[in-house]
Amino acid sequence: MGKFLLFFSLFIANVAFSQVSENFNDGDFTQNPTWQANTNTNFVVNSGQLQSNSTTTNSNFYISTANAKALNCTWEFDVNLKFGTSSTNYVDIYLISNTADLNSANINGYFVRMGDTPDEVSLYKRSGGLNNSVKLIDGRDGSVNSSSNNNFKFRVSRESSSVFVLERDSTGTGNSFYTEGIILDNSFTSTVAFGFYIRQSTASFVQKHFFDNVVVKDMPADVAAPVFTKASTTDGKNIVLNFDEIVDPSDASVTSHYNISPGNIQPSGVTVNGSLVTLNLALELNVGNYTVTVNSIKDLKGNAATPQSKNFIYKKPYTAVFNDIVINEIFADPSPSVDLPSAEFVELWNRSNEDIALSGFKYSDASTIFTFGADSINANEYVILCPVTDTAAYKEYGKVIGVLPWPSLNNASDSLKLLNQNGILISEVNYLDSWYKDNAKKTGGWSLELIDPLSVCKQSQNYSAGNNVSGGTPGKQNSIYLSNQTTEPLKLLSVSIKDSVTLILTFNRGLDSLQATLPSHYNVNNGVGVPLIANPLAPAFATVELKYSQLLNRNQTYSITVDGLTDCGSNVLANQKLDFVYPGLIAQGDIIINEVLFNPKSGGVDFVEVYNTSDKILDFKDFKIATIAAAKDSLASIKEISANTILFEPKSYWVITTNPDSVKAQYYTSHPNNFIKISALPAYADDKGKVVILKDSITRLDQLNYDKSMHFALLKDVEGVSLERSSFTEATNTTGNFRSATAATGYATPADKNSQYLEDLANTEAEISLPTPTFSPDNDGFEDILRIQYNFPAPGKVGNVTLYNDQGRLVKKLVNNETLSVTGQWVWDGTDESNTKAKTGIYVLYVEVFELNGEVKKYKKTAVLASKLD
């Protein structure tokens, strides 16, 4: 009984020692199983993973655990190197070693190297020193290609016959194993340890090695023959057969094992790679349906299959031409993520009706080229290209092809190309981050989407940030696909004049920017003709600048005809005409101040009304409004009236204010469109101030020095009452030329003829005359003032005007020693010297006019001050 217990204990110990299963979830590597390191502090368990912890640079260190399995077993393990590997920064995973000390100078065994100069995964045999290492399986160069995340899952098997199979899954999922190679080597058939050996150089590589899910176990007994699962061809000369397991290369290479019908065709050669067998034919097949029969096939265990057959269709290979496949979407800046994986991608779209084999196609940027293998893209199919390590992240979105090496996408700009197997350009995009046309989306998390693959417009117009809430549309139709298509007609909206030889045309949307450069699309009448240069302006290309050789004439109306332009869709603009005016140059006297509201009603705003006295069409952007500094006669608070052209027609009234709606709500106007909204007027006080109109920032066109005393003296409240100009010919600041707007018009006449406007002087030969000798100063807008006109043969006279009542008493000294023009007028508003309304009755006007030689002329006129009957 004691011998049996001893035997059973040794058996259990041997079983435990002979296999490894470690996921580090217990947070400890010192037991279950026990791992040993040259220094235990060189490793830690972090979040269920074994992590390197040595900060010593230019060093080698290891960790290993007991293992006795060397034949008929598999090794599985995860490795993530969060750095770009090099000749001095890599990991060796010892599958078989005659010692647990992996720093030993004398080791017999086998190891998988991840990294090194070729950035590959390969199997080595070591006999003694590390320099006595021989590469048995040379893995694919560049497979370890990330600078920050090489997350690989490995599976290595060794048959009892000592045949090694090395597989790796660079997605880290265990669902996409790639066979690096198969080799027979029986140099070492026993082992004592499994472990990780790390080579690191500088501080930038420390603590960036991660290991997990280590399993060493017996291979299950294989008694099943290989199953033939699929046959396919893309070129009619190479038939790819898929099996459900790795087949025996020597057996699978026998050409007589295969037959293709109809035609009783045997391959001229066979290429075997793991579970893939490629039959090489001497002649290309004809288009049609075929059956391939595998008469005999063995796996690595010698299990032989009975004859199996699969059908396949050969469709003549289609050679792609330009724009059959388009670079449809570009995700260059995944961070910060919106709702897509934080990984770059490029989407291809096969626009054609043909399935296209991608074998031999090349996708590249300016520095990196990727050549497609046995991949394809079906008619009207979307395919996502991304780094090999990110394929799992994008599989839920559609068909994915992992690219190695990956042409990394620059955020600001890059040049991407797709060439077919013959080197013919199929698609090309030279993108810039300005193409996003959205400063927020430009910062990351959004893709650039192609709008219209058939658009003739520049690529900068044909790509834009999408509007899908995820940030992009990998694997499906773009969110802005054909958004350039519209039934709204293409229109020329406006023509503005930049200078005497330059026009700016604005359209309702972007044009085909290449076509818009042709001068023949534009023609101006009056002998101007077509421009020398047509320059559509980026980025929207909805504006075109035209340069002419002939100067445009001031104060002239022109007509431009635009014909044959197209947008980025299918809309054509045909023979549209639009008139435009080259405004006249402003001269002194062209613009006068006509009405001012400086003390608005509650809730109201100030306004200034100007009048164009000239016969020229002027432009509001050519003059400004200002005030005068209180301390001295210097301009202050100069304001631009309009940054854009607003035509000021001859003999028209326009109002300048901060709130046109408020003015129009409080006062009637028959010209509601003759208002200009300005962000801020100069400050005009309620008691007195100065309004100035400027030709530029210096030259004064007109100036009104207003005072509240200029209002009708009998008004009890002047709030909301404007001052109106009475005469265009009298100087602006002539006494009596600005008076209160009448009550009948609501106390203001914005953008209309003034209620207090006085018609031009009557054509009379009398030196002193009264056009209407009867007046009623009640501010009702009808004969509110007494007009006293004078008309002399020569200027240079001085006048006095005195008013007396019918009793001969002095009522008012109206004019005192005033220098006179040839013609002019004085006005009496019916108030006396004390500024109170004179009584109803008859008044005598006594006028004295002095010549320079001392001669005096005297005139008497009689007027009647009337009033309404109660």
Side-chain angles (χ1 to χ4, degrees), residues 20-191:
V20 179
S21 180
E22 173 68 279
N23 58 20
F24 301 103
N25 286 342
D26 59 1
D28 184 12
F29 63 82
T30 62
Q31 56 184 350
N32 297 322
T34 299
W35 294 76
Q36 74 172 59
N38 47 343
T39 303
N40 276 0
T41 56
N42 285 347
F43 294 89
V44 295
V45 176
N46 183 4
S47 300
Q49 291 182 300
L50 181 68
Q51 179 184 1
S52 64
N53 195 43
S54 172
T55 58
T56 305
T57 58
N58 195 26
S59 63
N60 311 315
F61 54 99
Y62 76 91
I63 189 168
S64 66
T65 189
N67 173 52
K69 292 192 176 297
L71 290 170
N72 195 37
C73 63
T74 61
W75 296 263
E76 295 179 2
F77 47 89
D78 297 348
V79 181
N80 191 355
L81 304 184
K82 293 183 177 293
F83 55 84
T85 60
S86 68
S87 61
T88 55
N89 293 278
Y90 57 82
V91 169
D92 291 340
I93 303 98
Y94 278 85
L95 311 174
I96 292 174
S97 174
N98 62 333
T99 174
D101 180 6
L102 302 184
N103 265 342
S104 172
N106 187 21
I107 297 178
N108 293 328
Y110 302 91
F111 64 86
V112 173
R113 176 165 293 176
M114 180 178 176
D116 208 345
T117 302
D119 296 323
E120 64 183 10
V121 173
S122 298
L123 178 68
Y124 287 80
K125 176 175 68 176
R126 177 175 173 181
S127 304
L130 189 58
N131 291 335
N132 294 327
S133 298
V134 177
K135 188 183 291 188
L136 300 179
I137 295 176
D138 187 3
R140 180 178 175 182
D141 290 356
S143 60
V144 187
N145 64 338
S146 174
S147 61
S148 61
N149 187 43
N150 295 290
N151 187 19
F152 282 36
K153 183 176 285 291
F154 292 92
R155 183 168 65 197
V156 186
S157 61
R158 192 187 193 193
E159 303 279 352
S160 300
S161 60
S162 293
V163 174
F164 283 94
V165 179
L166 171 60
E167 299 174 280
R168 51 93 179 164
D169 178 356
S170 53
T171 70
T173 63
N175 298 320
S176 301
F177 279 107
Y178 174 83
T179 302
E180 292 283 10
I182 303 172
I183 192 72
L184 171 64
D185 190 280
N186 58 7
S187 302
F188 308 113
T189 57
S190 64
T191 182

Side-chain angles (χ1 to χ4, degrees), residues 39 51 88 144 161 216 223 240 263 322 334 341 421 455 520 524 608 610 759 773 782 828 858:
T39 303
Q51 179 184 1
T88 55
V144 187
S161 60
V216 183
V223 295
V240 179
F322 180 75
Q421 69 273 26
S455 175
S520 58
V524 175
V608 174
V610 290
E759 300 296 338
F782 177 73
W828 181 38
K858 299 180 180 180

Side-chain angles (χ1 to χ4, degrees), residues 348-371:
L348 302 181
W349 175 29
N350 180 358
R351 297 179 46 256
S352 77
N353 295 321
E354 302 286 344
D355 297 341
I356 299 175
L358 295 175
S359 179
F361 274 57
K362 288 180 169 55
Y363 164 68
S364 66
D365 66 359
S367 58
T368 305
I369 300 175
F370 166 72
T371 302

